């Protein structure tokens, strides 16, 4: 039965999970914003639909409700198309127009509290200022009260009751992997505190009477965090209070979203760099990137306040508890966040290898579509036509009346920002709605645009300068959006030898399988592996190919070689230790290839006009 399926279906095409190398399918698109870009066309569709939804039509009535009652700004950005940042959309809600404080006009320089996007900005500042090994510093080396706690409890280890602070590192807390509580001390929703205000609450839960005196003694920061009072709460005071918190997981074991971790990260970065967090943000990011509208303190000066969205009250929207700033207290604009996003994509402040390592997952979640980095919230978008996966590196923010999202897709060197605020508390849902609509439309359109540009820039026939040699390579890109990613090598002759013939057969049998199946010339495709466009103007490609499934169709181990080109076929065929199938394009400033070198074949081919 299985054999028949293979014979009837064109293998390279119909496979639901075709073999793939991770990463980009084509070079990043250069044209996001012009009238001929698929991305701009889709953006127009999305913004038109937003307009309709705000007018009561469009998506549905819940969407209308969420969007109308939220003041929001959306902005796109791209590494290669500066003008992508002009693709913006702003909506001002009735309550903002009528607000007593803050701005009554929204544009790309409007200031919002970015809430937990602050966590990403804090980590980025740390990436810029710390050496790699400093991320392995245990928190006991930074906070004396944690060291004291470890020493006091050392004689009677209890890993359910006590956090092993000497095993929790700076890198762990940046990745939500400390196993420490979400918040280190009882604030806002803690039932003991609710119970002191209203004893009936305790009865509802059947809980004993709380001892507030004890609370206030244990946590020197309780009052200032809970009530935002003027009591200055230092990070050392905070840490003293939380030292005896019970753990939620063992260190490094499982992700647990922790604001407390980012209060501690701020203190740790200050300690390791010898700078206040205000200085650190300024030196690491704000000054080098020229950010004029990003602040680690609330924008209270009149000329800033009148550019700031105030959705609720001044007291709550501009609340300033400095130890919490690294977690949620930064204010910024879509213009400045685009600058931050582009600087990450372009490795402006970090060496490329460190950016690459930063843009990797650190832990899984229970769902295959989500993973976590430091502190990236990684969404794995699956293209419905091809099953190709595009990773979206994001950070969501959700605090008080503000919500925010910064999203990067390194495979397209593209990103977007959404900032929102609402007195009704619906801003996060509004932002999630917008982010989904953007993702579902923009990500396929970016792939489409990248494919179109690859057709223009890379496809065609390449031949040697020495015309006498019977050598040529023809690369094509199928027009169907269902086609597997990359460039198909439709013809490859080397000095009179048809290489595809031998290559297809060899690839097919590189990974032994039973029964033996026929090779298919059309399965020979290449995708980008090393993109060095700005430095050397070169883009290297490697073979991405399909091998037949193993003994039990659809099972994980049987499918490993089929879906895992990274381990099965890549780099198996070499000549003088150079991959046979390495193709290196030389491109001009616009990304247009003028030559193609085949290093193993020691030849450079020129693109035919
Ligand atoms: C930038 O993109 C916008 C939106 O597509 C377009 O109206 C404008 O003409 C573009 N500007 C430049 C300088 O390309
Ligand atoms: C957006 O595109 C979809 C799919 O092509 C189409 O059905 C819809 O009518 C478009 N909406 C607008 C406002 O152009
Ligand atoms: C990216 O960095 C390169 C230098 O490595 C620089 O020439 C280029 O202007 C930068 N691009 C952007 C959009 O910042
Ligand atoms: C805004 O204020 C004006 C004047 O007080 C009032 O007439 C209008 O209904 C208000 N609009 C909203 C949406 O609250
Ligand atoms: C509450 O805690 C304080 C300080 O730990 C202690 O002195 C006091 O006896 C406790 N009160 C009750 C009712 O347990
Ligand atoms: C960092 O913390 C250690 C341990 O508490 C302390 O000895 C050191 O002085 C601190 N450094 C700075 C710059 O605060
Ligand atoms: C905002 O403040 C600046 C400086 O105080 C002032 O020049 C400007 O007119 C104000 N803008 C608005 C919209 O109130
Ligand atoms: C091409 O093939 C011929 C015949 O086998 C051989 O003599 C020649 O050296 C080859 N040329 C190159 C450039 O490989
Ligand atoms: C070049 O080689 C190919 C593959 O062997 C062959 O089909 C073709 O006829 C050759 N062309 C010339 C001009 O010899
Ligand atoms: C408080 C407020 O502005 N509520 C508005 C939310 O949006 C709906 C429309 O969908 C308006 O009718 C409400 O007035």
């Amino acid at each position: 039965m299985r054999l028949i399926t293979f014979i009837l279906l064109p293998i390279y095409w119909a496979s639901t999970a075709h073999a793939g190398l991770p990463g980009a399918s084509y070079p990043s698109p250069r044209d996001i914003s012009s009238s001929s870009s698929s991305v701009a066309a889709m953006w127009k569709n999305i913004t038109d639909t937003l307009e309709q939804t705000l007018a009561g039509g469009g998506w549905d009535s819940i969407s209308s409700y969420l969007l109308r009652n939220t003041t929001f700004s959306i902005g796109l950005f791209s590494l290669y198309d500066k003008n992508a940042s002009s693709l913006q959309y702003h909506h001002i809600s009735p309550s903002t127009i009528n607000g007593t404080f803050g701005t009554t006009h929204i544009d790309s320089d409007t200031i919002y509290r970015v809430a937990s996007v602050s966590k990403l900005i804090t980590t980025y500042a740390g990436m810029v200022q710390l050496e790699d090994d400093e991320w392995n510093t245990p928190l006991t080396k930074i906070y004396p009260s944690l060291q004291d706690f470890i020493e006091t409890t050392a004689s009677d280890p209890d890993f359910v009751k006590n956090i092993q602070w000497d095993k929790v590192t700076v890198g762990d807390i940046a990745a939500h992997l400390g196993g420490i509580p979400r918040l280190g001390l009882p604030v806002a929703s803690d039932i003991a505190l609710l119970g002191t205000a209203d004893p009936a609450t305790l009865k509802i839960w059947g809980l004993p009477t709380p001892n507030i005196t004890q609370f206030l003694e244990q946590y020197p920061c309780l009052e200032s965090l809970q009530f935002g009072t003027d009591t200055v709460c230092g990070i050392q005071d905070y840490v003293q209070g939380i030292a005896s918190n019970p753990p939620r997981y063992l260190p490094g074991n499982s992700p647990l979203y922790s604001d407390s971790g980012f209060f501690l990260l701020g203190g740790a970065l200050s300690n390791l760099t010898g700078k206040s967090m205000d200085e650190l943000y300024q030196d690491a990011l704000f000054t080098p990137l020229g950010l004029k509208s990003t602040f680690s303190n609330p924008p209270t000066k009149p000329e800033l306040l009148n550019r700031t969205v105030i959705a609720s009250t001044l007291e709550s929207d501009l609340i300033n508890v400095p130890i919490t700033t690294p977690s949620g207290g930064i204010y910024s604009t879509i213009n400045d966040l685009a600058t931050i996003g582009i600087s990450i994509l372009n490795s402006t402040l970090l060496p490329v290898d460190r950016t690459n390592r930063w843009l990797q997952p650190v832990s899984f979640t229970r769902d295959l579509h989500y993973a976590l980095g430091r502190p990236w919230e990684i969404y794995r978008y699956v293209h419905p036509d091809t099953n190709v996966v595009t990773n979206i590196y994001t950070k969501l923010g959700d605090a008080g009346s503000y919500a925010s999202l910064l999203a990067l897709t390194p495979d397209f060197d593209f990103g977007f920002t959404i900032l929102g605020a609402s007195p009704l508390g619906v801003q996060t849902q509004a932002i999630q709605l917008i982010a989904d609509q953007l993702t579902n439309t923009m990500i396929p359109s970016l792939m489409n645009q990248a494919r179109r540009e690859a057709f223009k820039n890379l496809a065609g026939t390449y031949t040697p300068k020495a015309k006498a040699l019977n050598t040529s390579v023809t690369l094509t890109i199928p027009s169907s959006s269902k086609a597997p990613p990359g460039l198909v090598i439709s013809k490859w002759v080397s000095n009179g030898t048809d290489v595809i013939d031998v290559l297809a057969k060899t690839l097919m049998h590189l990974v032994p399988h039973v029964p033996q199946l026929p090779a298919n010339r059309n399965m020979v495709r290449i995708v980008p592996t090393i993109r060095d466009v700005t430095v050397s103007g070169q883009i290297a490609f490697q073979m991405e190919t399909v091998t037949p499934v193993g003994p039990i169709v659809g099972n994980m181990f049987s499918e490993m070689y089929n879906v895992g080109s990274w381990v099965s076929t890549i780099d198996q065929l070499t000549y003088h230790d150079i991959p046979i199938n390495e193709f290196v394009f030389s491109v001009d400033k616009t990304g247009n290839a003028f030559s193609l070198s085949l290093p193993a074949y020691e030849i450079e081919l020129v693109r035919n006009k």
Side-chain angles (χ1 to χ4, degrees), residues 503-556:
L503 185 61
K505 278 192 204 111
T506 312
L507 285 171
M508 204 63 174
H509 302 300
L510 262 183
V511 181
H513 57 277
V514 176
Q516 293 274 314
L517 296 161
N520 185 324
R521 289 176 59 97
N522 291 322
M523 74 184 192
V524 184
R525 290 178 292 113
I526 53 171
V527 293
T529 45
I530 300 177
R531 297 185 288 164
D532 192 28
V533 178
T534 41
V535 180
S536 68
Q538 296 183 96
I539 314 173
F541 280 65
Q542 290 264 349
M543 191 79 65
E544 181 184 78
T545 187
V546 179
T547 53
V549 289
I552 312 176
V553 176
N555 279 238
M556 285 202 304

Side-chain angles (χ1 to χ4, degrees), residues 470-471 493 495-498:
N470 184 4
T471 291
V493 173
N495 194 15
T497 301
D498 181 345

Side-chain angles (χ1 to χ4, degrees), residues 542 571-582 599-600 602:
Q542 290 264 349
D571 205 27
Q572 292 247 30
L573 299 170
T574 58
Y575 175 76
H576 286 163
D577 203 31
I578 301 168
I580 287 278
N581 53 245
E582 186 179 48
E602 295 164 17

Side-chain angles (χ1 to χ4, degrees), residues 456-473:
K456 179 168 70 73
N457 290 335
L458 306 175
T461 296
Y462 295 79
T463 49
K465 281 206 183 94
K467 300 282 180 215
L469 209 57
N470 184 4
T471 291
S472 84
V473 168

Side-chain angles (χ1 to χ4, degrees), residues 266-462:
L269 295 179
S270 282
N271 178 279
L272 292 168
T273 59
K275 294 177 183 178
S276 72
M277 279 311 285
D278 289 333
E279 286 167 350
L280 184 71
Y281 289 125
Q282 206 65 49
D283 292 356
L285 303 177
F286 302 171
T287 304
L289 295 177
L291 307 181
K292 296 275 189 306
S293 301
T294 302
F295 308 99
S296 54
N297 282 290
T300 48
K301 287 186 198 140
E303 68 271 23
L304 294 180
L305 187 56
N306 78 3
R307 285 206 274 136
T308 304
V309 179
I310 300 297
S312 179
T313 62
L314 272 186
E315 292 67 38
S316 66
D317 286 358
L318 299 184
I319 191 167
N320 187 14
V321 182
I323 67 159
T324 67
T325 301
S327 174
I330 289 175
Y331 292 78
S332 190
T333 63
I334 59 163
N335 270 352
D336 275 4
L337 290 175
T339 303
I340 288 177
I342 288 174
S343 77
I344 296 172
L345 293 172
N346 205 28
S347 280
T348 305
L349 302 177
L350 293 172
V352 175
D353 62 301
R354 297 188 68 208
T355 303
N356 287 342
R357 254 174 245 118
W358 189 26
L359 294 173
Q360 298 286 353
V362 177
S363 72
F364 292 124
T365 69
R366 256 295 291 277
D367 193 287
L368 294 174
H369 297 91
Y370 304 89
L372 268 167
R374 287 182 181 170
W376 296 112
E377 291 152 14
I378 307 163
Y379 292 70
R380 313 204 69 208
Y381 175 83
V382 182
H383 290 260
D385 282 347
T386 53
N387 287 321
V388 167
V389 175
T390 295
N391 293 325
I392 313 175
Y393 284 79
T394 78
K395 185 69 199 81
L396 181 77
D398 173 10
S401 33
Y402 296 97
S404 50
L405 181 72
L406 178 65
L408 301 181
T409 53
D411 287 355
F412 299 119
D413 287 310
F414 170 88
F416 61 86
T417 305
I418 314 170
L419 298 175
S422 164
L424 304 186
V426 297
Q427 67 282 349
T428 301
Q429 276 193 287
I431 278 186
Q432 288 171 323
L433 167 77
I434 296 167
D436 274 333
Q437 300 290 356
L438 278 180
T439 301
N440 293 339
T441 53
M442 306 302 286
I443 302 293
S445 75
L446 285 156
M447 185 66 94
N448 188 27
Q449 179 65 22
R451 189 171 57 238
R452 285 171 52 187
E453 291 186 21
F455 180 77
K456 179 168 70 73
N457 290 335
L458 306 175
T461 296
Y462 295 79

Side-chain angles (χ1 to χ4, degrees), residues 204-231:
I204 292 171
W205 292 95
L207 283 162
T209 311
N211 185 338
I212 286 298
T213 318
Q214 192 196 335
F215 263 2
L216 292 174
E217 273 177 24
Q218 182 187 346
Y219 300 109
C221 281
L222 186 57
E223 273 188 293
S224 69
L225 284 191
Q226 166 75 356
F227 307 110
T229 56
D230 289 330
T231 327

Side-chain angles (χ1 to χ4, degrees), residues 94-95 97-98:
S95 65
I97 294 177
N98 266 11

